[in-house]
Coordinates of all heavy atoms in Angstrom, one line a residue:
M29 N 104.3 127.8 69.4 CA 103.3 127.3 68.4 C 104.0 126.6 67.3 O 105.1 127.0 66.9 CB 102.6 128.5 67.8 CG 101.6 129.2 68.7 SD 101.1 128.5 70.2 CE 102.2 129.4 71.3
A30 N 103.4 125.5 66.9 CA 104.0 124.7 65.8 C 104.0 125.6 64.5 O 105.0 125.5 63.8 CB 103.2 123.5 65.6
N31 N 103.0 126.3 64.2 CA 102.9 127.1 63.0 C 103.1 128.6 63.3 O 102.4 129.4 62.7 CB 101.6 126.8 62.3 CG 100.4 127.2 63.1 OD1 100.4 127.4 64.3 ND2 99.3 127.4 62.4
G32 N 104.0 128.9 64.1 CA 104.2 130.3 64.4 C 104.9 131.0 63.3 O 105.3 130.4 62.3
P33 N 105.1 132.3 63.4 CA 105.8 133.1 62.3 C 107.2 132.6 62.1 O 107.9 132.1 63.0 CB 105.8 134.5 62.9 CG 104.8 134.6 64.0 CD 104.7 133.2 64.5
T34 N 107.6 132.7 60.8 CA 109.0 132.3 60.4 C 109.8 133.5 59.9 O 109.2 134.6 59.7 CB 108.9 131.2 59.4 OG1 108.2 131.7 58.2 CG2 108.2 130.0 59.9
G35 N 111.0 133.3 59.6 CA 111.9 134.3 59.0 C 113.1 134.6 59.9 O 112.9 135.0 61.1
R36 N 114.3 134.3 59.5 CA 115.5 134.4 60.3 C 115.6 135.8 61.0 O 116.1 135.9 62.1 CB 116.7 134.2 59.4 CG 116.9 132.7 59.0 CD 118.1 132.5 58.2 NE 119.3 132.6 59.0 CZ 119.8 131.7 59.8 NH1 119.2 130.5 59.8 NH2 120.9 131.8 60.5
L37 N 115.1 136.8 60.3 CA 115.3 138.2 60.9 C 114.0 138.7 61.5 O 113.9 139.8 61.9 CB 115.8 139.2 59.8 CG 117.1 138.8 59.2 CD1 117.5 139.8 58.1 CD2 118.2 138.8 60.2
N38 N 112.9 137.9 61.5 CA 111.6 138.2 62.0 C 111.7 138.2 63.6 O 111.8 137.1 64.1 CB 110.6 137.3 61.5 CG 109.2 137.7 61.9 OD1 109.0 138.5 62.8 ND2 108.2 137.0 61.4
P39 N 111.5 139.3 64.3 CA 111.5 139.2 65.7 C 110.3 138.5 66.3 O 110.3 138.2 67.5 CB 111.5 140.7 66.1 CG 110.9 141.4 65.0 CD 111.3 140.6 63.8
Q40 N 109.3 138.2 65.5 CA 108.1 137.5 66.0 C 108.2 136.0 65.7 O 107.3 135.3 66.1 CB 106.9 138.1 65.2 CG 106.6 139.5 65.5 CD 106.3 139.8 67.0 OE1 105.6 139.0 67.6 NE2 106.9 140.8 67.5
R41 N 109.3 135.5 65.1 CA 109.4 134.1 64.8 C 109.3 133.3 66.0 O 109.8 133.7 67.1 CB 110.7 133.8 64.0 CG 111.9 133.8 64.9 CD 113.1 133.2 64.1 NE 114.2 133.0 65.1 CZ 114.3 131.9 65.8 NH1 113.5 130.9 65.7 NH2 115.3 131.8 66.7
Q42 N 108.7 132.1 65.9 CA 108.6 131.2 67.1 C 108.1 129.9 66.6 O 107.3 129.7 65.7 CB 107.6 131.8 68.1 CG 107.4 131.0 69.3 CD 106.5 131.7 70.3 OE1 105.5 132.3 69.9 NE2 106.8 131.7 71.5
G43 N 108.5 128.8 67.3 CA 107.9 127.5 67.2 C 108.6 126.5 66.3 O 109.7 126.8 65.8
L44 N 108.0 125.4 66.1 CA 108.5 124.3 65.3 C 108.8 124.6 63.9 O 109.9 124.4 63.4 CB 107.5 123.1 65.4 CG 107.9 121.8 64.8 CD1 109.2 121.3 65.5 CD2 106.8 120.8 65.0
N45 N 107.9 125.3 63.2 CA 108.1 125.6 61.8 C 109.3 126.5 61.6 O 110.1 126.4 60.7 CB 106.9 126.3 61.1 CG 105.8 125.3 60.8 OD1 106.0 124.1 61.0 ND2 104.7 125.8 60.3
S46 N 109.5 127.5 62.5 CA 110.6 128.4 62.5 C 111.9 127.7 62.7 O 112.9 127.9 62.1 CB 110.4 129.5 63.5 OG 111.6 130.3 63.6
A47 N 111.9 126.8 63.7 CA 113.1 126.1 64.0 C 113.6 125.2 62.8 O 114.8 125.2 62.5 CB 112.9 125.2 65.2
L48 N 112.7 124.6 62.1 CA 113.0 123.8 61.0 C 113.3 124.6 59.7 O 114.3 124.4 59.0 CB 111.8 122.8 60.7 CG 111.5 121.8 61.8 CD1 110.3 121.0 61.4 CD2 112.7 120.9 62.0
K49 N 112.5 125.6 59.4 CA 112.6 126.4 58.2 C 113.8 127.4 58.3 O 114.6 127.5 57.4 CB 111.3 127.1 57.9 CG 111.4 127.9 56.6 CD 110.0 128.6 56.4 CE 110.1 129.4 55.1 NZ 108.9 130.1 54.9
D50 N 113.9 128.0 59.4 CA 114.9 129.1 59.6 C 116.2 128.5 60.1 O 117.2 129.3 60.2 CB 114.4 130.2 60.6 CG 113.1 130.8 60.1 OD1 112.9 130.9 58.9 OD2 112.3 131.2 61.0
K51 N 116.2 127.3 60.5 CA 117.4 126.6 61.0 C 118.0 127.4 62.2 O 119.2 127.6 62.3 CB 118.4 126.4 59.9 CG 117.9 125.5 58.8 CD 118.9 125.2 57.8 CE 118.4 124.1 56.8 NZ 118.2 124.5 55.5
L52 N 117.1 127.8 63.1 CA 117.5 128.5 64.3 C 116.9 127.8 65.5 O 115.9 127.1 65.3 CB 117.0 129.9 64.3 CG 117.6 130.9 63.2 CD1 116.9 132.2 63.1 CD2 119.1 131.1 63.5
P53 N 117.5 127.9 66.7 CA 116.8 127.3 67.8 C 115.4 127.8 68.0 O 115.1 129.0 67.8 CB 117.7 127.8 69.0 CG 119.0 128.2 68.4 CD 118.7 128.7 67.0
P54 N 114.5 126.9 68.4 CA 113.1 127.3 68.6 C 113.0 128.3 69.8 O 113.8 128.3 70.7 CB 112.4 126.0 68.9 CG 113.4 125.1 69.4 CD 114.7 125.5 68.8
L55 N 112.1 129.2 69.6 CA 111.7 130.1 70.7 C 110.5 129.6 71.4 O 109.4 129.9 70.9 CB 111.6 131.6 70.2 CG 112.8 132.2 69.6 CD1 112.5 133.5 68.9 CD2 113.9 132.3 70.6
N56 N 110.6 128.8 72.4 CA 109.5 128.2 73.0 C 109.0 129.0 74.2 O 109.6 130.0 74.6 CB 109.9 126.8 73.5 CG 110.2 125.9 72.4 OD1 109.6 125.8 71.4 ND2 111.3 125.1 72.5
L57 N 107.9 128.6 74.8 CA 107.3 129.2 75.9 C 107.4 128.3 77.1 O 107.1 127.2 77.1 CB 105.8 129.5 75.6 CG 105.0 130.2 76.6 CD1 105.4 131.7 76.7 CD2 103.5 130.1 76.3
V58 N 108.0 128.9 78.2 CA 108.2 128.1 79.4 C 107.4 128.7 80.5 O 107.4 130.0 80.7 CB 109.7 128.1 79.8 CG1 109.9 127.4 81.1 CG2 110.6 127.5 78.7
G59 N 106.6 127.9 81.2 CA 105.7 128.4 82.3 C 106.4 128.9 83.5 O 106.0 129.8 84.1
G60 N 107.5 128.2 83.9 CA 108.1 128.5 85.2 C 109.6 128.4 85.1 O 110.1 127.6 84.4
L61 N 110.3 129.3 85.8 CA 111.8 129.2 85.7 C 112.4 128.9 87.1 O 111.8 129.4 88.1 CB 112.3 130.6 85.3 CG 112.0 131.1 83.9 CD1 112.4 132.5 83.7 CD2 112.6 130.2 82.8
P62 N 113.5 128.2 87.2 CA 114.1 128.0 88.5 C 114.4 129.3 89.2 O 114.8 130.2 88.5 CB 115.3 127.2 88.1 CG 115.4 126.9 86.7 CD 114.2 127.7 86.1
T63 N 114.3 129.3 90.4 CA 114.5 130.5 91.3 C 113.5 131.5 91.2 O 113.4 132.4 92.0 CB 115.9 131.1 91.1 OG1 115.9 131.9 89.8 CG2 117.1 130.1 91.1
V64 N 112.5 131.4 90.3 CA 111.4 132.3 90.2 C 110.1 131.7 90.5 O 109.3 132.2 91.3 CB 111.3 132.9 88.7 CG1 110.1 133.8 88.6 CG2 112.6 133.7 88.4

């Protein structure tokens, strides 16, 4: 989500805002994984 929760120590952080504000890699959602 673009406007997901933020906070470097927040286990719920996710998305574009978190990546920019928290300066951490985004936690995105992937529908399918190779080999699965």
Side-chain angles (χ1 to χ4, degrees):
M29 285 352 95
N31 64 342
T34 59
R36 290 184 69 83
L37 301 177
N38 183 354
Q40 298 298 317
R41 76 167 191 86
Q42 181 175 42
L44 186 59
N45 283 357
S46 174
L48 296 173
K49 182 178 178 184
D50 302 330
K51 296 183 174 120
L52 294 169
L55 298 172
N56 297 317
L57 183 68
V58 178
L61 297 172
T63 72
V64 175

